[in-house]
Amino acid sequence: FDMFVLAFVERLFRPTFRKDDFVLGKKLGEGSFGVVYRASLSKKRASDDGEYVLKKATEYGAVEIWMNERVRRACGNSCADFVYGFLEKSSKKGPEYWLLWKYEGESTLAGLLQSKDFPYNVETIILGKVQDLPRGIERENRIIQTIMRQLLFALDGLHSTGIVHRDVKPQNIIFSEGSRAFKIIDLGAAADLRVGINYIPKEFLLDPRYAAPEQYIMSTQTPSAPSAPVAAALSPVLWQMNLPDRFDIYSIGLIFLQMAFPSLRSDSNLIQFNRQLKRCEYDLTAWRKLVEPRASPDLRRGFELVDLDGGIGWELLTSMVRYKARQRISAKAALAHPYFDRQGLLALSVMQ
Ligand code: ADP
Ligand code: MG
């Protein structure tokens, strides 16, 4: 009850917006559930500072607003800075929801990963180059450690709030120039199990490139959303039983893999990798045995990187990318994994 009163009061004192307040800029994205634009205010307000991102969404926008409001209050640093959400109009096509965020910057992890200079391009934007190590896998590993720590930190925030993202992928990770850290965006497919919101309709397609093999997060024993009060009482138990957060961990594991192995960064190679892994029954160690003997120099370099420091990176990777959700490490446990526990990291963490 308090939570709703707080939410209401907080909202009363925040600026409100409507359609005519905005001038739309460049289109940033378009999915089946909405269109995303860069936007600015048509008439500058006294409190206004700068640029926004505006999403026009279909009926699913209502849930996305709800998720963003919740994240904003509970774990604001995990996700892009949400400003406001409202119902604009109901057309023949159904309701149209508008969602507004602060513009965080131009770089998604997807864009950064596609550059030949990855991960040094990230080192530059996070730290402005300060490393004394020569270029090579050790330095690359340190940068990847920093990125992984930021991603797990953001994800742990969401999971501790009771939210599963379900669409974690490089396209949904933005580098926030203001906080000099990666944040998660796009809560359009997220589920909040503690309050019983939201169960995506069955026909909703998860991104097959990054989705864990279980596909649907809740087991078939919990086919529909219970009403809110019942869910609030039950869902911590459901959470424990089903470990729905481990769906996101699998996706983060694939991102780790792509960062460490340049040859797996392209879509086509990731899809091929997924096929191979499936044939290996999602056993990463079996996959390694399959491909390592005939590995390209690029692939071999990836294994070298994860094998640094006694193979601690490979250990973390294999504890994320596993067939059974319950055998995957949690975001919180991953943050405490010895992969992140190295002297050289101190220099990086001081900067954050
Ligand atoms: P969808 O995937 O449903 O089209 P997203 O919320 O993922 O919508 O946004 C689409 C794209 O817009 C992102 O991949 C990113 O490039 C950009 N974007 C979204 N939110 C922000 C933000 N707060 N700051 C800067 N860019 C953003
Ligand atoms: Mg997206």
Side-chain angles (χ1 to χ4, degrees), residues 295-313:
S296 66
D298 250 12
L299 201 57
R300 229 175 290 135
R301 203 165 184 280
F303 287 121
E304 260 172 60
L305 190 147
V306 294
D307 283 347
L308 288 170
D309 303 310
I312 205 69

Side-chain angles (χ1 to χ4, degrees), residues 14 45 63 74 98 113 125 140 173 178 217 228-229 238 253 318 336:
R14 264 161 52 207
R45 304 185 186 204
V63 176
W98 288 34
L113 262 177
I125 60 174
E140 286 161 31
I173 293 165
I217 283 140
L238 288 181
T318 51

